[in-house]
Amino acid sequence: MSTPLPLSISMHPADNVAIVANDGGLPAGTVMPGGLVLIDKVPQAHKVALVDIPEGGAVRRYNVVIGYALKPIAAGSWVHERLLQMPEARSLEGLPIATVKPPVLEPLEGYTFEGYRNADGTVGTRNILAITTTVQCVAGVLDFAVRRIKSELLPRYPHVDDVVGLEHSYGCGVAIDAVGAEIPQRTLRNISRNPNFGGEVMVVSLGCEKLQPERLLPPGSFPIVDEREPALDVVCLQDEAHVGFMSMIDSIMRQAKQHLRRLDARRRETVPASALVVGVQCGGSDAFSGVTANPAVGFCTDLLVRTGATVMFSEVTEVRDGIDQLTSRAASPEVAEAMIEEMAWYDAYLDKGRVDRSANTTPGNKKGGLSNIVEKAMGSIIKSGTAPITGVLSPGQRLADRDISQGLVYAATPASDFICGTLQLAAGMNLHVFTTGRGTPYGLAQVPVIKVATRSDLARRWHDLMDINAGRIADGEATIEDIGWEMFRLMLEVASGRKKTWAEHWQLHNALVLFNPAPVT
């Protein structure tokens, strides 16, 4: 059996480091194509110095300074986080504002999927009964009820895909009127209006909580489907009519039947691809994320924008160090200023908690070759493609709140996988793409999640969790464009219900996590 050719990947001709692509890394003494000899054993996805770098010298990847050498680094050495001083964060002053004028992307016409049209003009990729909760106290009761609804009622309504409880840890024991409290409240309100829920609104309340149903969902915040029905369908567990636990369950099931009946009358119909609202995200990232999966997502993002669809990218701390790249791509000065405002808000939030931005990079990120947040940010931003950024959302806002109907949107969210996914749901996402290099079983019950592996080794080991293997790019078996088109076509199949993702197959999903910057009481 022949020894695999040593492979490394450099992102720009000006880079003085490259990452090792071979499974298992490369041992010391390996002679690279071009004659460079490795001084150290270098793990897969980790960096090797291409030239001698003096103490204090800039280490460049993506043609960006990702750190400064703490001591001399000889050519062929393993370059890791312990050898680097992280650069200072880019100032939010004096940024380039809407300076990049990208070429106009040719419209991509004729692509459709089978979706569920809603009264408010949005389109669902799934037909789900979602039951909203006002407070964490009712989570156990609702979980019991949902299990019974799925086993006893759902089989009678074959055109309803699922029943999900929108459970969370908010609603009481919080400073409900404090500055910042509007974020979790509007997040939960807007999740209840997600396109995959068909305009049906059902609420389970305890009764004594601070977040009362009328506060969560005031009149006018949702469409009235049937004027004969009450404006707000609430099951209150403390209602005196409930005698015993099972009477609570019976009430929830009785109300659920009405919503299931209406949802079951809905049918998929052909809609243009412009009705897609795709959230893109990465988690368990490694140094391959910015080489394979995320560039492929970026290419697919451009395809989606060309169809007239909406794509959201997020994760404040994972794009903060590339803010100049984003403000320069803003479609207008107003969009650029909105991005700066969101970054400044989050800078102040972290400063208040005395949290350094370097806290973002996890032990797994570092094991996967990412030395710090600057390097991680460069790989994360690539998911956004090349299109102009046409809008900005604050945490918990809907696209409709900012009158955004299509294009590339920056939805400001924390970098936490689960909070980011929750906030993208609130924004109106109907399909999710999630890339990972280290591996994570992340999933959402509310929307299909397409999982993309950055490395072939991960795709092989997690063959029944990863939907796409972008590692083929590093292996030389496919191009970024090939994987981008594969992803785009898979999106249309998944959105149409013709194909399930692995996360859907296994019913893997994480709990919703509301971003609550307000103090607790």
Side-chain angles (χ1 to χ4, degrees), residues 253-473:
M253 295 183 69
R254 182 168 56 251
Q255 294 306 112
K257 284 182 184 179
Q258 300 178 36
H259 298 279
L260 288 168
R261 185 181 68 249
R262 287 194 291 261
L263 288 170
D264 194 58
R266 291 156 52 85
R267 297 292 184 273
R268 290 186 182 271
E269 55 184 285
T270 302
V271 296
S274 59
L276 286 174
V277 180
V278 179
V280 298
Q281 190 185 351
C282 51
S285 302
D286 67 356
F288 276 113
S289 295
V291 177
T292 60
N294 289 352
V297 170
F299 181 85
C300 186
T301 291
D302 285 349
L303 295 178
L304 289 164
V305 170
R306 289 171 60 190
T307 70
T310 304
V311 182
M312 293 180 287
F313 72 108
S314 299
E315 302 165 294
V316 171
T317 52
E318 292 190 12
V319 303
R320 172 64 177 82
D321 279 276
I323 182 60
D324 54 323
Q325 298 179 29
L326 302 182
T327 56
S328 63
R329 283 174 54 199
S332 69
E334 292 75 20
V335 171
E337 291 300 333
M339 277 190 283
I340 294 170
E341 183 178 327
E342 293 297 338
M343 299 296 158
W345 185 94
Y346 210 82
D347 281 356
Y349 170 71
L350 291 178
D351 186 61
K352 185 177 180 181
R354 300 180 182 178
V355 178
D356 187 272
R357 79 190 204 279
S358 65
N360 172 280
T361 317
T362 69
N365 294 152
K366 294 175 181 178
K367 190 173 181 180
L370 293 172
S371 294
N372 55 41
I373 188 56
V374 181
E375 183 179 9
K376 188 177 180 183
M378 295 306 107
S380 180
I381 288 173
I382 295 175
K383 298 194 302 294
S384 65
T386 64
I389 301 167
T390 58
V392 178
L393 295 178
S394 296
Q397 285 188 325
R398 295 175 79 211
L399 292 163
D401 294 340
R402 291 287 181 93
D403 197 27
I404 298 171
S405 58
Q406 63 180 42
L408 179 64
V409 177
Y410 180 68
T413 78
S416 162
D417 299 346
F418 317 115
I419 301 178
C420 179
T422 299
L423 289 169
Q424 289 185 343
L425 280 171
M429 168 176 70
N430 57 19
L431 189 65
H432 201 30
V433 176
F434 189 98
T435 70
T436 184
R438 302 302 298 167
T440 169
Y442 171 96
L444 294 170
Q446 297 79 15
V447 297
V449 178
I450 295 173
K451 301 286 286 297
V452 185
T454 72
R455 299 178 296 124
S456 293
D457 177 63
L458 175 65
R460 285 190 294 267
R461 290 188 295 108
W462 288 24
H463 59 89
D464 52 1
L465 286 171
M466 298 292 115
D467 300 293
I468 295 176
N469 175 20
R472 289 176 288 153
I473 297 169

Side-chain angles (χ1 to χ4, degrees), residues 24 33 51 80 118 173 179 203 214-215 262 293 378 460 492 521:
V51 297
H80 49 77
N118 297 317
V179 174
V203 181
E214 295 77 13
R215 178 173 183 143
R262 287 194 291 261
M378 295 306 107
R460 285 190 294 267
L492 298 179
T521 59

